[in-house]
Amino acid sequence: MNKHLLSAADLTRDDAVAILDTAVELARVSDRTVKKLPTLRGRTVVNLFFEDSTRTRISFEAAAKRLSADVITFSAKGSSVSKGESLKDTALTLEAMGADAIVVRHGASGAPHRLAHSGWIDGVVVNAGDGTHEHPTQALLDAYTLRHHLSSDEGALDGRHVVIVGDVLHSRVARSNVLLLHTLGARVTLVAPPTLMPVGVESWPCGISYDLDAALPGADAVMMLRVQAERMNAAYFPSANEYSRRYGLDVRRSDLLADGGIVMHPGPMNRGMEITAEVADGPRSVIVEQVTNGVHVRMAVLYRLLGAADVIGEAS
Ligand code: NCD
């Protein structure tokens, strides 16, 4: 496994399966009365968030704490220093504090890569979402959730069909998921209006469709993406109503999925826009479960990247 986790493409199939299997073990620990493991005692994990986040930040914090690491959370939003300089200065500060792992979310695509390969720091870097580029731990928690529901032996996802729908253009979740799901043997179809499909998407390892009703029948899972209004500097579709009518998930559409097919969303959701409340809270939805799984998967990532000793068996 690579030293850092910057992209879902960093993971071989064996790496990804090893992380998912470790997460399954760690999830069992979370069922115990004493949930904490001594694995990362004395190690320091810094959460460096230059962009807003609820789930991802809390999830990494919970993951590091359950492994007994010292956790420092740094929200850099509002800084007026130019991005390159502020990142370097921050990195030097973190290095001076002896950070063993830096979990970074940044509005600029490539910022975690810069942090990892600049020579500013020694610790491992985990990408918690960079611009419109990648979000590899989200893809891992999605793969964990898919495996749990669609694979009886917790094996891989060979031959499963996952439809990813919505604002693909601005979505780091979509890109990381396409890469990881392909690595794990699943078939992915991206569905979006033409204006929200990224340039060059033809070279991604997935199918492309502009018609949601045509893509959904028989699929094993549908992953809805948030319409990322904060990243839109132009009108990408005529109106919210029209978007929902063509690309929103309602009960009729979710019933086109295969029997046992699941509905996913990375959150935060725009209820009534890309997904109706009825579907989000309905029987096929695993959206809340995705959040729980995120903690186990992030524990597994920290555990493997920080080369922790094999102490899953002993709760402290
Ligand atoms: C995603 C993100 O931040 O990229 N959310 C998340 O991490 N749970 C998706 C989004 O913001 O829409």
Side-chain angles (χ1 to χ4, degrees), residues 49 51-57 105 128-132 134-135 137-138 141 167 170-174 224-228 230-231 265-270 274 291 298:
F49 279 69
E51 241 193 25
D52 292 341
S53 170
T54 307
R55 284 161 206 69
T56 307
R57 185 171 52 75
R105 167 167 289 199
D130 63 328
T132 59
E134 283 228 35
H135 194 354
T137 60
Q138 179 70 42
L141 79 86
D167 186 358
H170 299 107
S171 179
R172 49 201 179 201
V173 174
M224 302 308 296
L225 303 172
R226 183 173 64 89
V227 175
Q228 302 199 21
E230 80 279 15
R231 297 190 207 275
H265 193 303
M269 287 183 272
N270 295 310
E274 68 264 2
V291 179
R298 288 170 176 128

Side-chain angles (χ1 to χ4, degrees), residues 165-183:
V165 188
D167 186 358
V168 180
L169 180 66
H170 299 107
S171 179
R172 49 201 179 201
V173 174
R175 185 189 301 261
S176 289
N177 261 295
V178 167
L179 294 170
L180 186 66
L181 289 172
H182 175 69
T183 300

Side-chain angles (χ1 to χ4, degrees), residues 5-28:
L5 179 57
L6 304 176
S7 158
D10 292 344
L11 301 169
T12 63
R13 184 174 169 121
D14 285 350
D15 290 336
V17 169
I19 291 171
L20 298 178
D21 288 345
T22 303
V24 171
E25 291 293 313
L26 291 165
R28 292 202 187 108

